[in-house]
Amino acid sequence: MIHIEPIFPTYLYFEEEIDNFNLVQKEISSVVDATDFKFLEEWSTHWISNSFDENIIHELPLLKEVVNKNLDNYCKHMGFDDAVVEYESSWIAKFEKNNYAHIHSHRYSDISGAYYFKTPEGGGDIFFHTPNGYQEASRWWMHEREVVPPREGMLMLFPGWLRHGVVTNTSDESRMSISFNVKLSKLNKM
């Protein structure tokens, strides 16, 4: 008998278009209109809505409800029942023309994610770098990156340790997402 099993899988979670899309977009739009964005001097790559000590998701109750539902689904898929979610940080990321996000991780967060509010064509795809460092050294397994084109209304969740970045925005329009980091507790393995 032959078995082929993936080991050490990394789960990316997508909701192609969230429930209540129009209401959530309107909610975010009102927060964006009242937001004073600042450039990340230390990164020199893009703009954010707030310091990472604040939590913009608490100003977006409709979005938070949708994210919580999807976090619950993701945790159940991972085999955790009744996980309690705590938002460590959340912010609006704004990428103007020629802005990008260097490759990074959200190391100490259990789950990170993004909701895509504005995604113009050429606005910058998100990419994920392989967590298997040895894969880069093999001439047979050359796939180092997985590129995901974001779409308005899409919600994405992934492990906080997974390295990722955003390709340069070549559009004349802003690309905007609400990003967040969460810690989980009360993980009862199913």
Side-chain angles (χ1 to χ4, degrees):
M1 183 182 297
I2 297 173
H3 290 278
I4 298 178
E5 301 267 342
I7 60 171
F8 308 120
T10 304
Y11 294 102
L12 297 180
Y13 178 98
F14 301 92
E15 173 80 26
E16 294 294 330
E17 185 176 303
I18 64 162
D19 296 335
N20 298 328
F21 171 75
N22 291 328
L23 291 173
V24 169
Q25 290 290 99
K26 186 176 178 181
E27 176 184 69
I28 294 170
S29 195
S30 67
V31 170
V32 166
D33 290 345
T35 298
D36 185 24
F37 288 89
K38 65 178 184 178
F39 193 69
L40 285 178
E41 297 284 337
E42 63 274 19
W43 289 2
S44 300
T45 61
H46 64 283
W47 301 78
I48 63 166
S49 61
N50 56 325
S51 73
F52 291 113
D53 298 331
E54 298 173 29
N55 257 320
I56 200 84
I57 195 105
H58 298 307
E59 296 178 36
L60 301 164
L62 294 175
L63 177 62
K64 186 176 177 182
E65 181 180 326
V66 169
V67 172
N68 285 344
K69 179 190 89 166
N70 285 279
L71 281 166
D72 186 53
N73 289 341
Y74 185 56
C75 288
K76 284 180 178 166
H77 179 81
M78 299 288 285
F80 295 110
D81 192 26
D82 298 326
V84 175
V85 171
E86 177 189 342
Y87 288 89
E88 294 180 302
S89 56
S90 56
W91 62 96
I92 301 171
K94 181 179 178 183
F95 295 81
E96 299 288 1
K97 188 170 188 168
N98 298 320
N99 291 165
Y100 62 93
H102 65 285
I103 193 164
H104 65 284
S105 72
H106 301 217
R107 296 185 268 174
Y108 302 109
S109 299
D110 294 317
I111 300 173
S112 294
Y115 170 76
Y116 293 96
F117 173 59
K118 296 288 180 198
T119 57
E121 177 127 1
D125 294 344
I126 186 169
F127 64 88
F128 295 93
H129 198 276
T130 180
N132 182 347
Y134 295 104
Q135 185 174 340
E136 298 169 359
S138 171
R139 64 186 181 124
W140 299 109
W141 305 101
M142 298 298 280
H143 193 65
E144 292 180 35
R145 284 187 175 187
E146 187 65 39
V147 177
V148 179
R151 289 184 305 286
E152 284 182 19
M154 184 171 86
L155 175 69
M156 181 185 301
L157 304 172
F158 52 91
W161 51 259
L162 185 60
R163 294 186 309 151
H164 59 285
V166 177
V167 177
T168 302
N169 180 356
T170 58
S171 167
D172 290 326
E173 299 175 49
S174 298
R175 172 203 190 272
M176 299 176 80
S177 61
I178 289 73
S179 300
F180 49 88
N181 293 318
V182 300
K183 279 278 191 203
L184 303 176
S185 59
K186 286 193 171 181
L187 296 177
N188 300 318
K189 192 77 170 154
M190 294 177 10

